[in-house]
Amino acid sequence: AQKITQTQPGMFVQEKEAVTLDCTYDTSDQSYGLFWYKQPSSGEMIFLIYQGSYDEQNATEGRYSLNFQKARKSANLVISASQLGDSAMYFCAMREPTGGTSYGKLTFGQGTILTVHP
Amino acid sequence: DAGVIQSPRHEVTEMGQEVTLRCKPISGHDYLFWYRQTMMRGLELLIYFNNNVPIDDSGMPEDRFSAKMPNASFSTLKIQPSEPRDSAVYFCASRQLMNTEAFFGQGTRLTVV
């Protein structure tokens, strides 16, 4: 069974600094996808970035990058140049592969609350 | 595209009443997920559908919960009878292909008193 672990319940960062949010996962599948979502206080779930298990390059989307270390089964989110609007809950998620009895189930970690200080 | 649409946005009901949450996925998406979010348990997957067929309902907490997807554009999550511990935010999400992200609705905040 899949498992996603986010060990940091809360993180603080100074505005304009970079911050890393940790995510580790456990799976026996070779093909899977890793996602990060942001949930601001308004409650909506916003997709940030995706990394496929076979992607050799780390994914980047603007100020977001995913530090993918497959052997260590980690998929940390790096936010560069933090902004006050980055204050939110951040979720790591993993998608299992399709094929056979597997249908792409998407499982989330517990989340990390990020607070950006001015 | 209007995105994933959930209704109602807020629901307050009395214990023992039936509650029905509704979801309209993005057109063309063939996966639909129902999640429940609470402070204690985080974001839990309740059930998901592929091409309107329920694939995995192992996350449904008990028989009081049921979900249906009668067609590609509509799904319901029903709780009967509702209990105070069912109070949570319920999210619906849809996805088209395996390598794309899931798009979430705005959620339904359910309060059972």
Side-chain angles (χ1 to χ4, degrees):
Chain A
Q2 290 184 326
K3 185 176 180 180
I4 308 290
T5 304
Q6 294 180 252
T7 57
Q8 306 154 316
M11 288 286 286
F12 295 89
V13 66
Q14 205 72 26
E15 193 178 11
K16 300 180 185 178
E17 299 285 311
V19 63
T20 298
L21 306 184
D22 294 341
C23 174
T24 58
Y25 59 92
D26 187 19
T27 182
S28 57
D29 296 316
Q30 295 301 308
S31 175
Y32 49 89
L34 296 159
F35 302 79
W36 278 92
Y37 283 81
K38 172 184 179 182
Q39 186 178 42
S41 59
S42 52
E44 71 266 37
M45 294 286 286
I46 303 168
F47 165 74
L48 295 178
I49 196 166
Y50 164 79
Q51 178 87 39
S53 60
Y54 291 119
D55 295 340
E56 295 185 354
Q57 300 285 335
N58 285 342
T60 60
E61 290 285 349
R63 294 186 299 109
Y64 304 108
S65 61
L66 200 153
N67 185 0
F68 181 45
Q69 298 187 43
K70 193 169 182 177
R72 297 180 61 183
K73 294 187 176 178
S74 73
N76 299 339
L77 177 70
V78 181
I79 305 174
S80 62
S82 297
Q83 302 172 356
L84 296 178
D86 293 334
S87 293
M89 174 81 89
Y90 289 80
F91 290 97
C92 180
M94 181 165 66
R95 175 198 33 87
E96 67 182 26
T98 54
T101 58
S102 179
Y103 284 86
K105 181 177 179 178
L106 186 63
T107 307
F108 285 78
Q110 288 293 90
T112 296
I113 299 175
L114 175 66
T115 303
V116 181
H117 289 302
Chain B
D1 197 322
V4 177
I5 299 172
Q6 291 187 246
S7 64
R9 292 291 309 277
H10 302 274
E11 177 80 30
V12 180
T13 191
E14 291 186 347
M15 182 174 63
Q17 295 298 305
E18 176 179 298
V19 176
T20 299
L21 311 182
R22 297 173 175 79
C23 175
K24 176 178 167 48
I26 294 173
S27 177
H29 283 195
D30 44 19
Y31 286 83
L32 184 139
F33 303 82
W34 281 101
Y35 290 90
R36 177 173 69 175
Q37 185 176 27
T38 61
M39 288 291 292
M40 291 298 295
R41 301 176 69 89
L43 203 59
E44 303 173 274
L45 176 64
L46 299 178
I47 185 171
Y48 73 104
F49 297 82
N50 176 225
N51 292 326
N52 313 339
V53 177
I55 300 301
D56 184 352
D57 65 353
S58 60
M60 298 284 261
E62 46 198 277
D63 292 345
R64 297 184 298 106
F65 285 69
S66 63
K68 295 181 179 179
M69 193 165 185
N71 56 62
S73 59
F74 184 64
S75 177
T76 59
L77 178 67
K78 184 179 294 185
I79 308 172
Q80 166 63 19
S82 58
E83 296 183 3
R85 59 194 170 115
D86 301 331
S87 298
V89 178
Y90 290 81
F91 284 102
C92 174
S94 71
R95 188 175 77 222
Q96 183 178 30
L97 296 171
M98 292 319 303
N99 286 336
T100 62
E101 69 273 24
F103 292 85
F104 280 75
Q106 293 286 75
T108 295
R109 182 174 294 277
L110 173 66
T111 304
V112 183
V113 298

